[in-house]
PDB file of all heavy atoms in Angstrom:
ATOM      1  N   GLU A 325       0.034   6.057  29.329  1.00  0.00           N
ATOM      2  CA  GLU A 325       1.454   5.974  29.681  1.00  0.00           C
ATOM      3  C   GLU A 325       1.622   5.701  31.171  1.00  0.00           C
ATOM      4  O   GLU A 325       2.420   4.846  31.569  1.00  0.00           O
ATOM      5  CB  GLU A 325       2.154   7.274  29.278  1.00  0.00           C
ATOM      6  CG  GLU A 325       2.271   7.452  27.769  1.00  0.00           C
ATOM      7  CD  GLU A 325       2.730   8.842  27.364  1.00  0.00           C
ATOM      8  OE1 GLU A 325       2.789   9.735  28.229  1.00  0.00           O
ATOM      9  OE2 GLU A 325       3.030   9.026  26.165  1.00  0.00           O
ATOM     10  N   ALA A 326       0.878   6.433  31.992  1.00  0.00           N
ATOM     11  CA  ALA A 326       0.945   6.205  33.439  1.00  0.00           C
ATOM     12  C   ALA A 326       0.438   4.819  33.802  1.00  0.00           C
ATOM     13  O   ALA A 326       1.025   4.118  34.632  1.00  0.00           O
ATOM     14  CB  ALA A 326       0.132   7.281  34.164  1.00  0.00           C
ATOM     15  N   MET A 327      -0.652   4.411  33.167  1.00  0.00           N
ATOM     16  CA  MET A 327      -1.217   3.084  33.432  1.00  0.00           C
ATOM     17  C   MET A 327      -0.235   1.978  33.068  1.00  0.00           C
ATOM     18  O   MET A 327      -0.098   0.992  33.795  1.00  0.00           O
ATOM     19  CB  MET A 327      -2.513   2.906  32.651  1.00  0.00           C
ATOM     20  CG  MET A 327      -3.698   3.643  33.222  1.00  0.00           C
ATOM     21  SD  MET A 327      -5.185   3.310  32.247  1.00  0.00           S
ATOM     22  CE  MET A 327      -6.449   3.556  33.504  1.00  0.00           C
ATOM     23  N   ALA A 328       0.434   2.117  31.929  1.00  0.00           N
ATOM     24  CA  ALA A 328       1.388   1.096  31.495  1.00  0.00           C
ATOM     25  C   ALA A 328       2.496   0.909  32.522  1.00  0.00           C
ATOM     26  O   ALA A 328       3.072  -0.178  32.643  1.00  0.00           O
ATOM     27  CB  ALA A 328       1.979   1.460  30.138  1.00  0.00           C
ATOM     28  N   MET A 329       2.787   1.971  33.279  1.00  0.00           N
ATOM     29  CA  MET A 329       3.816   1.886  34.311  1.00  0.00           C
ATOM     30  C   MET A 329       3.233   1.461  35.655  1.00  0.00           C
ATOM     31  O   MET A 329       3.924   1.488  36.680  1.00  0.00           O
ATOM     32  CB  MET A 329       4.528   3.233  34.441  1.00  0.00           C
ATOM     33  CG  MET A 329       5.297   3.617  33.184  1.00  0.00           C
ATOM     34  SD  MET A 329       6.361   5.066  33.383  1.00  0.00           S
ATOM     35  CE  MET A 329       7.652   4.405  34.445  1.00  0.00           C
ATOM     36  N   GLY A 330       1.966   1.059  35.636  1.00  0.00           N
ATOM     37  CA  GLY A 330       1.346   0.550  36.842  1.00  0.00           C
ATOM     38  C   GLY A 330       0.993   1.628  37.844  1.00  0.00           C
ATOM     39  O   GLY A 330       0.951   1.363  39.053  1.00  0.00           O
ATOM     40  N   LYS A 331       0.712   2.841  37.369  1.00  0.00           N
ATOM     41  CA  LYS A 331       0.393   3.944  38.257  1.00  0.00           C
ATOM     42  C   LYS A 331      -1.114   4.149  38.335  1.00  0.00           C
ATOM     43  O   LYS A 331      -1.828   4.043  37.337  1.00  0.00           O
ATOM     44  CB  LYS A 331       1.062   5.230  37.773  1.00  0.00           C
ATOM     45  CG  LYS A 331       2.579   5.156  37.765  1.00  0.00           C
ATOM     46  CD  LYS A 331       3.133   4.894  39.165  1.00  0.00           C
ATOM     47  CE  LYS A 331       4.641   4.727  39.175  1.00  0.00           C
ATOM     48  NZ  LYS A 331       5.166   4.529  40.538  1.00  0.00           N
ATOM     49  N   VAL A 332      -1.582   4.488  39.528  1.00  0.00           N
ATOM     50  CA  VAL A 332      -2.988   4.791  39.705  1.00  0.00           C
ATOM     51  C   VAL A 332      -3.226   6.225  39.264  1.00  0.00           C
ATOM     52  O   VAL A 332      -2.449   7.128  39.582  1.00  0.00           O
ATOM     53  CB  VAL A 332      -3.435   4.577  41.165  1.00  0.00           C
ATOM     54  CG1 VAL A 332      -2.639   5.421  42.121  1.00  0.00           C
ATOM     55  CG2 VAL A 332      -4.922   4.877  41.319  1.00  0.00           C
TER      56      VAL A 332
END
Side-chain angles (χ1 to χ4, degrees):
E325 290 169 350
M327 284 182 153
M329 295 189 71
K331 298 300 176 178
V332 58

